[in-house]
Amino acid sequence: MAEIIVRKSGGLKGTVFTSGSKNAVLPLLAATLLTEQKCEIDSVPNLKDVKVMCELLESFGANVTEKLDENVILVEANTLKTSVAPIGPVRSMRASIVSMGPVLARTGTARIPLPGGCAIGDRPIDLHIKGFIALGADVDMIEDESGNGYVEARAEKLVGAEMYLDTPSVGATENIMMAASLAEGTTIIENPAQEPEIVDLANYLNKMGAKIKGAGTDMIKIEGVPELHGATHSVIPDRIEAGTYMLAAAITKGNILVENMLSNHVVPIIAKLRECGVVITEEDDGLRVSAENANLKSADLKTLPYPGFPTDIQPQFMAFLSIVSGSSTILETVFENRFMHINELNKMNAGIIEDGRRAIVKGGVQLKGAEVRATDLRAGAALILAGLVAEGETVISDIYHIDRGYDDIIGKLKRLGADIERID
Ligand code: EPU
């Protein structure tokens, strides 16, 4: 089984390039199913999840040309041969659910295996389903002969509707925006997700001929159109990958220029790092993050939907807070179970106490290398960061989670001076 080995590395220094966003590219690829014409997506990160999404598009009948070494993917979904998604890709990647809106809008029916819970929580899809029902679809839960559960939606035609999301779900907002783009009439989504990935998807859909306004605000208006056409688009930079390298500079007391990132996408990360004593300056090519001579101190934080502090940086920030002086409190409000990394960090001598959705991090410890497990993608990133400052050697297993979402993390960290290797 593949493992990552990290050793204490000193302050990381140099420049790192931010790849395209994982959470933006997955719905963009799903959106290509909305048209029979050729689509081109550029600045695509080279990730396992991207490959799984390409497999899913192919299973619906799309022609996919992956040129991941050039960061380009071409998709032509001339005709869809089925509206039933296979179990494999959906079970290995929950984001597969965002193919449901496009397939339903394009073919009038979609059947997707139930993605089920995952390490960070139950992750229900009730808001996606409510959205499809509001647009006029009939939705049923069904079981095949082998007992596999599916959600199936059918609609002779989708009709625009007004709806309110109880929680500003990223995936539900994406699914509804895509389905409503081809519905008859106007759809209004109140309390949608406002993440930059939502704005990127709306921009792409508008390039394809959709009429979407308000993405990135608390109300999105979609005027349905009869058809969409092919379009070319460049994925936005990955704000969570950029944030992870910002934390690599902070935790190792290094000095890193994070290139190709949008600083307005990481405002809470900048604010919290500055509160901890990290120096962050805007340069022409990106953000310089330096903790070289910093007297690092604790800070409390609370995860929230965008523009609040991102849950996808909470584990990495927790690793950092465990070495600064003073005690910090972290409140996780987005997912009910995103603290699996506490146990692993504590194996490395961190002093973190879990109390429901709150974690109390007693800072100022010297982390120690240990054998640990990446319990999910961001937990894996947190363990790598911890390993960079731990005495001795940290051996991380279950690294397939890390492969899902970080483009060349080993190469990028090595070029910054990290002592890290992957053993297959
Ligand atoms: N929720 C519901 N009902 C629904 C949908 C969501 O109750 O129908 C709840 C979830 O259980 C969760 C909250 O709403 O408690 C937020 O979930 P959301 O739907 O916004 O998350 P997602 O679309 O499943 C995306 C990212 C996640 C990221 C979250 C929150 C992708 C592919 N995934 O997930 O990314 O944490 O938004 O920002 O875009 C990651 O990259 O490591 C990752 C987990």
Side-chain angles (χ1 to χ4, degrees), residues 22-23 26 94-95 120 123-128 167-172 174 195 311-312 334-336 338 377-378:
K22 166 180 89 76
N23 290 346
L26 299 175
R94 288 189 45 87
I120 61 178
R123 303 185 78 179
I125 54 164
D126 56 312
L127 298 169
H128 303 242
T167 301
S169 157
V170 173
E174 291 164 347
E195 270 70 359
T311 173
D312 293 342
V334 178
F335 289 109
E336 71 271 24
R338 202 172 200 171
L377 167 62
R378 309 304 172 185

Side-chain angles (χ1 to χ4, degrees), residues 318-340:
M318 187 183 285
F320 168 61
L321 290 176
S322 67
I323 63 130
V324 306
S325 63
S327 172
S328 312
T329 301
I330 297 181
L331 187 62
E332 171 60 56
T333 77
V334 178
F335 289 109
E336 71 271 24
N337 191 26
R338 202 172 200 171
F339 277 155
M340 304 278 282

Side-chain angles (χ1 to χ4, degrees), residues 200-217:
D200 202 35
L201 177 61
N203 287 342
Y204 185 49
L205 291 169
N206 285 340
K207 280 187 190 170
M208 295 170 78
K211 292 189 175 161
I212 303 176
K213 286 187 181 150
T217 74

Side-chain angles (χ1 to χ4, degrees), residues 274-302:
R274 283 189 174 144
E275 197 178 323
C276 294
V278 178
V279 178
I280 301 179
T281 41
E282 189 110 30
E283 295 193 2
D284 287 347
D285 299 333
L287 273 192
R288 181 166 297 283
V289 183
S290 169
E292 270 172 325
N293 300 306
N295 189 8
L296 298 173
K297 53 183 188 294
S298 61
D300 297 334
L301 67 90
K302 177 180 178 179

